[in-house]
Amino acid sequence: MSSAKQSKGRGRPKSSGKANGKGKGKGKPRMPITQCCGLTVSVNRVRKDMREGRYAPRLGKLAPIVMASVLEYCVAEVLELAGNVALDEKRKTIGPRHVMLAVRGDEELNVICKDVVFPHAGAIVHVHETLLQKKKKAKKKKTTASLSDSQNY
């Protein structure tokens, strides 16, 4: 065999239209990289955005895959928290307010998104403790027995 036809066993198999290089039969169709990695976020779109953004002079093969998987995890985390907020408010759909309350309710996400403005989400309800009216405690009536006990030395 020539060295050009040998595969090193890395990556996904490429199909040239012929099965094993012999005959005219069609081989397996090439699987998209997003599907191959088991992701939902498009790896090709992330790769395109990373190239157009010019974040670095060079771009490795695995960088867009890792970035797409991190983005997918972050989106899943935010949507899970927003879904819990929507269920607490007895809603079936997640709105911008639910996303905002989910992000602001989580300590780590709040640190990351501290300067983010969520449009059409309203404001977080927060009333300072000193402004709330304190409940008055019921006064206990003093009995004669407790007065006499305290007077005894």
Side-chain angles (χ1 to χ4, degrees), residues 8 13 44 62 69 80-81 84 95 97 107 109 126:
K8 295 182 181 179
N44 291 328
L62 290 179
S69 62
E80 180 184 354
L81 293 172
N84 293 341
R97 180 155 180 82
E107 293 178 16
L109 289 174
H126 177 71

Side-chain angles (χ1 to χ4, degrees), residues 4-118:
K5 291 184 179 180
Q6 289 179 347
S7 66
K8 295 182 181 179
R10 289 184 284 167
R12 58 193 173 126
K14 296 181 181 178
S15 174
S16 62
K18 296 181 181 179
N20 298 329
K22 297 179 182 178
K24 295 181 182 180
K26 293 183 178 179
K28 292 182 180 179
R30 188 171 178 167
M31 184 183 289
I33 189 70
T34 304
Q35 203 174 24
C36 183
C37 296
L39 297 173
T40 306
V41 177
S42 174
V43 175
N44 291 328
R45 182 170 293 164
V46 171
R47 179 183 290 116
K48 184 187 84 163
D49 291 341
M50 289 175 79
R51 281 190 182 149
E52 289 178 358
R54 298 188 182 205
Y55 300 108
R58 299 171 70 184
L59 185 64
K61 287 184 178 181
L62 290 179
I65 297 171
V66 173
M67 180 66 80
S69 62
V70 169
L71 285 172
E72 186 171 327
Y73 172 75
C74 291
V75 168
E77 186 74 23
V78 170
L79 283 178
E80 180 184 354
L81 293 172
N84 293 341
V85 172
L87 285 177
D88 291 343
E89 294 183 3
K90 298 177 183 175
R91 303 283 183 193
K92 291 184 179 179
T93 57
I94 298 173
R97 180 155 180 82
H98 302 129
V99 175
M100 183 201 58
L101 291 174
V103 169
R104 298 294 180 225
D106 190 61
E107 293 178 16
E108 295 170 350
L109 289 174
N110 193 21
V111 170
I112 294 171
C113 301
K114 63 182 176 185
D115 295 330
V116 175
V117 176
F118 293 92

